Amino acid sequence: MDTKTTSSDSVNLIELSDSQINLSEFDPLTSSSVTPALNEKQQPVVRRPSRPPPPPPNHASNVKTRSSTTSGGAGLTSDLISLQLDKHDTEINAKQTLNKSGVPSLFTLERNRPSFVSYVNDGEAADMHPTIIKSSSSSSAQEMKSQSSSFVSYVPDDSSAKLSRTQSLSTGLSQADHMDFASFEGATGQNAVTSKLLGQREELMQLFMTKRQDDYTSRKPFRLFAGTWNVNGQYPPDSLIEWTAYDKDPPDIYVIGFQELDLSKEAFVFAESSREDEWRKIAEVSLHPKAEYYLVKLVRLVGMMLLVFAMKRHQNHITEVMSHHVGTGLLGKMGNKGGVGVRFNIHSSSICVVNSHLAAHAEEVQRRNQDYADICARMRFSDAYGQSPRTIFQHDVVVWLGDLNYRIEKMLPDMVKECIDVGNYKLLKENDQLLCQLREGNVFKNFEEGEIKFRPTYKYNPGTDVWDTSEKCRAPAWCDRVLWKETAVLSRSTIKNSKKVPKTMTLKEYRSHGALKISDHKPVSASFGMDVKVINKEKYRVVYEEEIRRLDKMENDYLPSMTLSSHTVEFGDVMFQQAVLQSVELHNTGQVPCHFEFIGKFGDNTYCKPWLTISKPKGFVMPDEKLAIEFEVYVNRITASSLNIGSEKLEDILILHLVGGKDFFITLNGKYIASCFGSSLEALCRMKDPIQQVDQKLLLKWSKISVQDANDSESSDEHTLQVPKELWWILDYLYHHARSQPDLFQQPGLHHELQEIQKCLDSQVPVTKGLNSLPGSSHSSAEALLVFLEALPEPVIPFCYYQQCLDVHSNLQHSKELLKTMPVHHRNVFNYLIAFLQELPKYEDKNGLSVHLIATIFAGLILRPQQRKSGIEARIEREKSIVFVERYLMNNLEEL
Amino acid sequence: MASRAPQRPNNASPQGKICQFKLVLLGESAVGKSSLVLRFVKGQFHEYQESTIGAAFLTQTVCLQDTTVKFEIWDTAGQERYHSLAPMYYRGAQAAIVVYDITNQDTFARAKTWVKELQRQASPNIVIALAGNKSDLSNKRMVDHDEAAAYSDENGLLFMETSAKTAMHVNDIFLAIAEKLPKNDAGGTAANRPTSGVDITQGGGSNPQGGCCGRSQ
């Protein structure tokens, strides 16, 4: 209508609303002003609905199927349906949110779903969790695909051993376990996670290097002297040279253990002992005269003292010296019994020495075994930071010496002495408790000892070589011993070379030293040849680089890898509420399961535009398997308006991220066909031509006319239609052809017919009043009207009037006053629509439309809030809006 | 054998700590970013390298005199339409290689705008190297070596002409970056990390490692 919207026009408008509009006369396309002709025959209809609006069962089921499928009419008038079917209300709303408009909420839902990790941690021990995703057995792969809880349930059934192969699969997977999606930021998230693994990488490199140490180390022979002596609390003699310098060649390293260094109560209670110094000094001066030594470490617990000396020339190669002590005496803690230990590296070999004084008395074998076990369990060598403590056995070589106190059993003292005198050590050794316990594997497992060829070292009358003549008259015994053990790492690496394991330790001599007589024990010593590993720096570097290459290769090989069937997705022409599906196939071409997910750009939570749905926004693909991901474009009323005006396009780049690996970009392209559906009344009233023939710039310009300034722009030169021609077309058609149609507005239209109608409205102009036709059935046209109203970005009654309308919903006079202030196009459309709707109940006997039913159907379309509400509040508001519309339908249209 | 814990090496490795850095490759499409990475990481060259649509990810370690530098390499798509996504990859990167093709003046101009963008938007102490790739095609040279070198000097960039095809200067440019990166700050390194206790990350991470070894044997 070319009506100039000056103030004089408002007269026309008033006239128009003054009376019932004769629909047959109304033609927005003619330039003539609206003829407010009141058709005498058409009296205002004031009829109470004879029955409550029947909830059409076909509607209910229809909506359900629609919202779960993606047909063009999906979600249509769900407001209306839910009005009638409260119990379906929530369900429909929820589905709508999920299916179409609510990509963000879909995302939230995913996040809230319990992760695999938490599933398993709930049910299983915490260390089970790395196995979850690692499974690659084909059966579980199937389950994994579904990502359902059934997938999780298989985990406990799988033996972890079976999974070990796949546990290697990728660091990426384990990252996935810990991935916090909230903090995940694509490429940078990757960085944060992998740096966690860097420490493990260092450890792994150390492991690799340890395995290959033969390739970069050579062996250097060292001499080791290991001595032990229970000194029975005596003052040191002038020299220990008969013991410590017994060998011709000077040892490279001395380890010397004393027991019962100080039997005084003070030593027991206080840490200080003057004997420590005295014995250390005498030991120092008694070292082999052919070499110079330094004290590597001294450690003492009450009477147990361990001294480590080394030749001065080795000083730079003796590193990481640490000591510890364990008391096993009174209360299992006190230091009268127990052990002291020192560990150190010499070049690349690690050595641990333990000096122990185990429980006394012949019958206390179990106690001694227990002491040994306690020392093993409790002795820990920590660096200054207290980190990564090592146990006794985490060394290449363990030397264990001391007064172990094992006796000769089942023989009377005289018998023992007799055997000794005749040199029958065999019988004695058969009854030696330590040898028996060793044989039975009860203690000192895998330790070795030299063959004993010396007299028992206990118990003598001090100062003599005479057996104990005291009251107790103890039987002689080999209390004082030296044992050693080589740990597995050396042998393991050499077994691979299928050579005989070269021993690191070679015992040269095992003896006691009767010349030192001050104690009731004689000292014992063992001299060893020891092959120390010495690193060749050049070779080390070469091997290190080789190994790090290998590790790099492994890491790169086990990165997740996929190929995509396409990097672009073309949707072609996309119409309003018409879903278009395309798919891309992911093919896992790597060696590890791929955990993929679409990620947002720059920390954005949403990974795609609201008009897109991705069938699987994240998931797993097992090696060699394929997975099709479907992309569905669906433009609903929320996304339509910006696409209609071209401010938004059906274009996007998605980022498909492989957790622990690369990203793919997937480019989406589609052309949205502009439609009157989803266009604003302001814009539509300015379109003389079908929308598809309108210049996009104009569309954009018009779309910027807001409801607020619509009235102002009325005064501009623009010639606008009074109501959108498309709306006029539909109503004109319905009025002339469908007003008597049974079940009008109650039976849904057909999807393809709706599409045809849409094409028609968007590409053609209506002809003369009463002669307009629309394709398809009346029901489809009726639905088109509902869709049109629902898709309006700003409803017939603008959002800003919503609350006020509810406030005056039962007072027609007030609401009329209120609606007078609405922008002119909205006023026109409202009047026009009400006029049309008032016609319908006149044919209620045929179309079944009562006033109340019409109000129920249209209230939610005409008068709706900007933010969808829920619960009781929404219901109350809906009731009010129905009453609001009903009041209008039952009254003459008066001036607005 | 009696020990439950794995054997430990006996002394600190002469290589010292491992530092990790994120490195991103930027540049016009078809200048050879992926080829440079492929040459550096796998020692391979493909005459017809596929166009990168996304951001490829690989790792590679280089050993310096006293440290070991592990690069996490993000090789980005060069096509202009993906330009807006590039910040996702250079953000947080400690090093960048901006690549151009010496036979194509436009790619050099594009490289300069990349450098500008990095100087403006990337982390302030990012180490940037400029690589004039395809140096094997010097008979088709369109970008003067000295001009690029002078430009690099002005902007404090490392500069080398490289050839992914012949491998010339490929390792060198990564090595030069590794040398230039600061090793002492905590960024990227995980040395001295506690290795005992019930660290959850260990639970997840140590298994794959064990498995790797199992596989390799």
Side-chain angles (χ1 to χ4, degrees):
Chain A
M1 185 181 303
D2 290 329
T3 315
K4 284 188 180 152
T5 45
T6 54
S7 55
S8 66
D9 284 318
S10 62
V11 178
N12 278 343
L13 289 166
I14 291 166
E15 286 170 345
L16 172 130
S17 30
D18 243 338
S19 54
Q20 276 204 301
I21 299 165
N22 186 335
L23 288 163
S24 56
E25 293 299 316
F26 183 76
D27 187 346
L29 297 182
T30 59
S31 56
S32 63
S33 59
V34 171
T35 316
L38 177 64
N39 189 333
E40 286 89 351
K41 293 175 206 163
Q42 294 174 347
Q43 292 302 316
V45 182
V46 189
R47 256 194 292 170
R48 299 306 303 173
S50 55
R51 55 189 160 87
N58 55 342
H59 251 145
S61 60
N62 200 358
V63 167
K64 271 176 129 181
T65 46
R66 280 175 180 183
S67 46
S68 55
T69 62
T70 50
S71 68
L76 164 75
T77 65
S78 62
D79 275 339
L80 138 76
I81 304 304
S82 50
L83 281 177
Q84 301 175 351
L85 295 173
D86 276 341
K87 61 177 177 176
H88 290 290
D89 189 10
T90 354
E91 183 191 351
I92 290 162
N93 281 339
K95 280 187 179 174
Q96 271 208 332
T97 326
L98 285 176
N99 275 356
K100 291 293 145 229
S101 53
V103 174
S105 58
L106 179 66
F107 191 72
T108 319
L109 188 83
E110 290 283 330
R111 276 178 50 188
N112 290 343
R113 194 185 55 186
S115 67
F116 298 146
V117 179
S118 61
Y119 262 116
V120 174
N121 279 351
D122 287 342
E124 289 292 314
D127 59 358
M128 275 298 288
H129 90 259
T131 65
I132 308 159
I133 311 177
K134 315 290 162 52
S135 152
S136 69
S137 67
S138 56
S139 66
S140 53
Q142 292 299 324
E143 289 173 79
M144 194 175 295
K145 267 176 151 180
S146 72
Q147 282 198 34
S148 64
S149 57
S150 66
F151 153 60
V152 176
S153 65
Y154 91 93
V155 172
D157 302 333
D158 245 311
S159 77
S160 52
K162 247 167 70 184
L163 291 172
S164 63
R165 187 187 79 88
T166 38
Q167 280 179 0
S168 73
L169 288 182
S170 76
T171 49
L173 281 180
S174 52
Q175 289 163 28
D177 296 355
H178 306 296
M179 192 67 69
D180 173 8
F181 285 99
S183 67
F184 179 69
E185 287 181 30
T188 40
Q190 164 90 31
N191 198 14
V193 176
T194 43
S195 67
K196 275 189 199 166
L197 297 168
L198 198 58
Q200 289 158 7
R201 187 181 166 93
E202 281 183 359
E203 270 183 41
L204 195 57
M205 271 311 290
Q206 288 179 345
L207 187 68
F208 283 7
M209 289 308 286
T210 309
K211 282 190 162 186
R212 288 198 60 188
Q213 60 187 354
D214 291 351
D215 297 337
Y216 57 83
T217 54
S218 51
R219 300 282 167 165
K220 201 173 165 186
F222 273 65
R223 287 189 201 91
L224 175 77
F225 176 96
T228 176
W229 192 13
N230 183 324
V231 297
N232 193 23
Q234 304 297 319
Y235 288 102
D238 297 338
S239 170
L240 308 174
I241 202 152
E242 293 101 332
W243 176 37
T244 52
Y246 183 82
D247 296 304
K248 186 162 76 59
D249 298 314
D252 296 89
I253 297 164
Y254 277 102
V255 296
I256 301 170
F258 294 103
Q259 304 85 35
E260 297 192 7
L261 195 75
D262 195 338
L263 292 173
S264 68
K265 290 194 178 67
E266 291 76 13
F268 195 74
V269 176
F270 303 108
E272 297 301 311
S273 167
S274 57
R275 297 289 171 82
E276 174 182 311
D277 246 17
E278 291 161 15
W279 278 98
R280 176 182 59 78
K281 277 178 187 156
I282 200 69
E284 263 171 1
V285 299
S286 306
L287 300 177
H288 207 287
K290 288 186 189 166
E292 277 192 83
Y293 293 91
Y294 80 103
L295 178 67
V296 176
K297 189 76 188 178
L298 178 153
V299 58
R300 186 179 62 80
L301 175 68
V302 191
M304 291 172 286
M305 179 164 82
L306 180 60
L307 294 164
V308 177
F309 297 99
M311 282 189 188
K312 272 191 177 163
R313 61 189 174 96
H314 299 315
Q315 192 155 4
N316 289 336
H317 303 293
I318 292 180
T319 53
E320 294 186 47
V321 181
M322 300 167 204
S323 65
H324 195 214
H325 53 76
V326 171
T328 60
L330 249 58
L331 308 171
K333 290 252 190 281
M334 300 303 269
N336 57 332
K337 294 291 186 293
V340 289
V342 171
R343 63 90 49 217
F344 57 95
N345 296 334
I346 174 154
H347 287 280
S348 289
S349 291
S350 61
I351 298 168
C352 176
V353 184
V354 180
N355 167 28
S356 71
H357 191 187
L358 306 183
H361 306 302
E363 64 280 9
E364 294 286 0
V365 176
Q366 292 312 319
R367 181 75 241 161
R368 284 187 276 280
N369 291 357
Q370 184 59 49
D371 285 351
Y372 163 82
D374 285 350
I375 294 167
C376 291
R378 284 161 53 198
M379 193 167 281
R380 287 287 183 282
F381 300 99
S382 306
D383 60 19
Y385 309 101
Q387 285 185 355
S388 4
R390 300 176 198 235
T391 66
I392 291 171
F393 297 105
Q394 286 170 319
H395 293 88
D396 294 335
V397 171
V398 180
V399 175
W400 196 304
L401 48 82
D403 179 358
L404 308 185
N405 254 328
Y406 288 93
R407 309 299 169 91
I408 294 166
E409 56 187 5
K410 297 175 195 154
M411 290 173 81
L412 292 170
D414 288 342
M415 175 93 169
V416 173
K417 287 170 190 165
E418 203 172 293
C419 283
I420 295 166
D421 289 341
V422 298
N424 182 5
Y425 288 174
K426 190 166 172 285
L427 181 62
L428 297 178
K429 279 192 261 185
E430 276 167 18
N431 293 310
D432 178 74
Q433 289 172 333
L434 179 56
L435 292 176
C436 291
Q437 293 298 310
L438 274 169
R439 273 196 296 274
E440 289 168 25
N442 295 333
V443 77
F444 288 105
K445 221 170 182 177
N446 297 315
F447 273 83
E448 296 178 72
E449 193 191 12
E451 194 191 343
I452 300 172
K453 294 173 182 168
F454 48 85
R455 283 159 60 90
T457 52
Y458 175 82
K459 175 178 186 175
Y460 296 91
N461 286 335
T464 69
D465 291 330
V466 177
W467 297 118
D468 179 31
T469 52
S470 70
E471 269 178 48
K472 291 175 188 166
C473 190
R474 307 251 190 233
W478 285 297
C479 287
D480 308 283
R481 314 284 275 259
V482 178
L483 296 88
W484 76 95
K485 177 181 169 176
E486 292 181 31
T487 47
V489 65
L490 290 177
S491 32
R492 202 194 307 149
S493 68
T494 35
I495 281 166
K496 240 170 60 179
N497 301 339
S498 69
K499 283 187 217 153
K500 207 184 164 213
V501 182
K503 293 251 179 188
T504 300
M505 301 286 282
T506 318
L507 180 72
K508 290 190 174 148
E509 211 181 327
Y510 190 30
R511 63 272 162 119
S512 80
H513 306 267
L516 294 174
K517 300 180 185 176
I518 54 164
S519 167
D520 54 352
H521 291 252
K522 302 291 185 197
V524 167
S525 73
S527 70
F528 294 97
M530 181 169 73
D531 283 332
V532 167
K533 290 177 287 184
V534 181
I535 286 182
N536 176 323
K537 283 234 163 85
E538 289 311 304
K539 280 188 189 167
Y540 182 92
R541 204 182 156 79
V542 171
V543 172
Y544 186 86
E545 290 214 27
E546 278 173 24
E547 288 300 305
I548 211 148
R549 289 283 153 274
R550 201 161 70 86
L551 185 57
D552 277 342
K553 186 172 181 310
M554 238 188 282
E555 267 191 37
N556 286 325
D557 286 350
Y558 292 144
L559 284 175
S561 172
M562 284 211 291
T563 49
L564 272 55
S565 61
S566 172
H567 290 269
T568 54
V569 179
E570 295 288 347
F571 291 106
D573 288 352
V574 176
M575 289 172 67
F576 177 72
Q577 287 197 349
Q578 188 185 337
V580 179
L581 252 94
Q582 289 294 343
S583 70
V584 167
E585 193 176 63
L586 312 183
H587 182 191
N588 185 343
T589 49
Q591 306 185 36
V592 295
C594 263
H595 177 202
F596 69 87
E597 66 176 314
F598 286 90
I599 59 171
K601 304 167 184 87
F602 309 109
D604 192 352
N605 268 343
T606 54
Y607 49 83
C608 69
K609 298 278 176 69
W611 39 260
L612 188 80
T613 311
I614 303 175
S615 64
K616 231 172 174 11
K618 58 183 176 180
F620 286 90
V621 188
M622 303 306 289
D624 295 327
E625 286 188 6
K626 292 179 179 176
L627 176 75
I629 292 188
E630 287 187 340
F631 300 92
E632 183 194 296
V633 172
Y634 183 86
V635 179
N636 60 16
R637 64 183 177 90
I638 294 164
T639 49
S641 60
S642 54
L643 287 163
N644 270 334
I645 57 176
S647 67
E648 165 80 24
K649 294 203 177 330
L650 286 182
E651 289 169 6
D652 198 11
I653 299 175
L654 304 177
I655 303 171
L656 175 62
H657 175 67
L658 305 189
V659 175
K662 61 161 96 174
D663 294 354
F664 294 99
F665 298 157
I666 298 176
T667 307
L668 307 178
N669 268 316
K671 182 167 181 275
Y672 183 67
I673 308 297
S675 171
C676 62
F677 295 106
S679 293
S680 70
L681 289 178
E682 281 72 24
L684 287 170
C685 285
R686 284 166 173 79
M687 283 178 218
K688 309 283 165 35
D689 297 318
I691 188 167
Q692 287 174 11
Q693 293 163 26
V694 177
D695 185 4
Q696 196 135 63
K697 280 181 197 153
L698 276 176
L699 288 178
L700 193 60
K701 182 185 154 200
W702 291 335
S703 72
K704 285 176 182 152
I705 302 168
S706 71
V707 172
Q708 279 72 22
D709 55 30
N711 279 333
D712 304 338
S713 66
E714 290 302 309
S715 56
S716 73
D717 298 339
E718 281 182 296
H719 294 199
T720 60
L721 308 175
Q722 283 208 332
V723 299
K725 59 185 182 304
E726 294 83 1
L727 180 66
W728 178 80
W729 187 346
I730 301 171
L731 291 189
D732 184 61
Y733 175 77
L734 285 174
Y735 177 73
H736 285 103
H737 299 101
R739 59 191 170 199
S740 305
Q741 172 69 47
D743 286 336
L744 190 67
F745 291 112
Q746 296 153 79
Q747 188 166 319
L750 294 169
H751 176 54
H752 69 273
E753 289 180 357
L754 270 167
Q755 275 179 30
E756 290 304 312
I757 292 170
Q758 188 193 333
K759 273 183 201 159
C760 210
L761 295 173
D762 290 340
S763 60
Q764 295 172 25
V765 285
V767 288
T768 335
K769 55 185 183 288
L771 296 174
N772 284 307
S773 69
L774 282 170
S777 68
S778 308
H779 295 301
S780 296
S781 297
E783 186 161 334
L785 173 63
L786 302 179
V787 173
F788 178 87
L789 294 174
E790 195 196 27
L792 284 174
E794 189 84 30
V796 178
I797 294 178
F799 291 128
C800 56
Y801 285 84
Y802 176 74
Q803 195 52 51
Q804 301 172 60
C805 286
L806 291 189
D807 293 345
V808 298
H809 70 282
S810 55
N811 188 326
L812 188 63
Q813 203 51 45
H814 284 156
S815 62
K816 281 182 176 175
E817 291 297 317
L818 180 63
L819 293 194
K820 270 182 196 170
T821 62
M822 282 204 305
V824 63
H825 295 299
H826 289 265
R827 253 182 293 157
N828 288 348
V829 169
F830 181 77
N831 286 336
Y832 182 44
L833 193 61
I834 292 293
F836 166 75
L837 295 177
Q838 281 181 340
E839 288 300 307
L840 297 175
K842 296 174 185 168
Y843 309 92
E844 188 185 350
D845 54 336
K846 290 185 180 128
N847 63 25
L849 285 165
S850 68
V851 168
H852 184 71
L853 181 55
I854 292 171
T856 309
I857 292 171
F858 282 85
L861 301 173
I862 297 172
L863 184 61
R864 57 181 150 94
Q866 191 147 21
Q867 296 292 327
R868 197 184 285 271
K869 292 175 184 170
S870 60
I872 189 91
E873 189 188 8
R875 200 177 304 172
I876 291 169
E877 289 190 3
R878 235 181 281 134
E879 293 299 335
K880 285 183 182 174
S881 64
I882 292 168
V883 172
F884 179 90
V885 174
E886 208 169 359
R887 288 284 148 91
Y888 270 95
L889 291 177
M890 292 190 299
N891 278 276
N892 268 327
L893 268 185
E894 289 167 25
E895 63 178 72
L896 267 182
Chain B
M1 266 180 250
S3 60
R4 283 159 296 163
Q7 280 295 330
R8 287 163 180 284
N10 303 317
N11 53 0
S13 73
Q15 288 311 126
K17 61 181 178 179
I18 302 179
C19 304
Q20 177 166 298
F21 296 102
K22 179 178 168 186
L23 182 148
V24 62
L25 279 98
L26 299 166
E28 184 71 82
S29 70
V31 295
K33 296 180 293 301
S34 300
S35 293
L36 281 176
V37 176
L38 192 68
R39 170 61 75 187
F40 174 55
V41 173
K42 298 188 174 167
Q44 299 169 349
F45 177 76
H46 299 156
E47 197 70 50
Y48 299 100
Q49 175 71 33
E50 261 182 52
S51 176
T52 306
I53 302 174
F57 174 76
L58 285 168
T59 63
Q60 181 76 350
T61 313
V62 294
C63 299
L64 304 178
Q65 203 54 43
D66 49 354
T67 49
T68 304
V69 170
K70 184 190 178 195
F71 285 119
E72 273 193 332
I73 304 168
W74 285 95
D75 170 25
T76 62
Q79 290 173 42
E80 192 51 39
R81 60 172 159 164
Y82 303 125
H83 178 190
S84 65
L85 297 171
M88 285 184 71
Y89 301 96
Y90 66 65
R91 185 179 57 180
Q94 288 100 341
I97 303 182
V98 178
V99 188
Y100 68 93
D101 171 357
I102 65 156
T103 70
N104 183 335
Q105 185 72 44
D106 291 346
T107 64
F108 181 55
R110 186 73 189 87
K112 286 180 178 173
T113 65
W114 275 120
V115 170
K116 264 194 210 118
E117 182 170 338
L118 287 173
Q119 286 168 339
R120 211 173 49 242
Q121 314 229 31
S123 47
N125 41 11
I126 187 170
V127 173
I128 306 174
L130 184 66
N133 196 31
K134 307 194 187 178
S135 64
D136 51 298
L137 302 176
S138 57
N139 55 337
K140 293 182 188 165
R141 173 186 290 279
M142 299 298 289
V143 181
D144 185 47
H145 176 281
D146 294 347
E147 185 193 341
Y151 167 78
S152 300
D153 272 355
E154 283 165 31
N155 287 276
L157 318 177
L158 294 166
F159 171 66
M160 281 181 203
E161 285 197 347
T162 58
S163 168
K165 189 172 182 176
T166 66
M168 189 182 87
H169 288 161
V170 174
N171 282 342
D172 306 70
I173 198 163
F174 283 93
L175 267 174
I177 292 168
E179 297 278 4
K180 195 174 172 184
L181 283 162
K183 318 296 187 307
N184 41 4
D185 59 349
T189 71
N192 299 326
R193 185 178 147 274
T195 51
S196 61
V198 272
D199 186 354
I200 307 169
T201 58
Q202 254 198 328
S206 59
N207 281 323
Q209 292 169 0
C212 283
C213 303
R215 266 195 167 189
S216 64
Q217 281 169 352

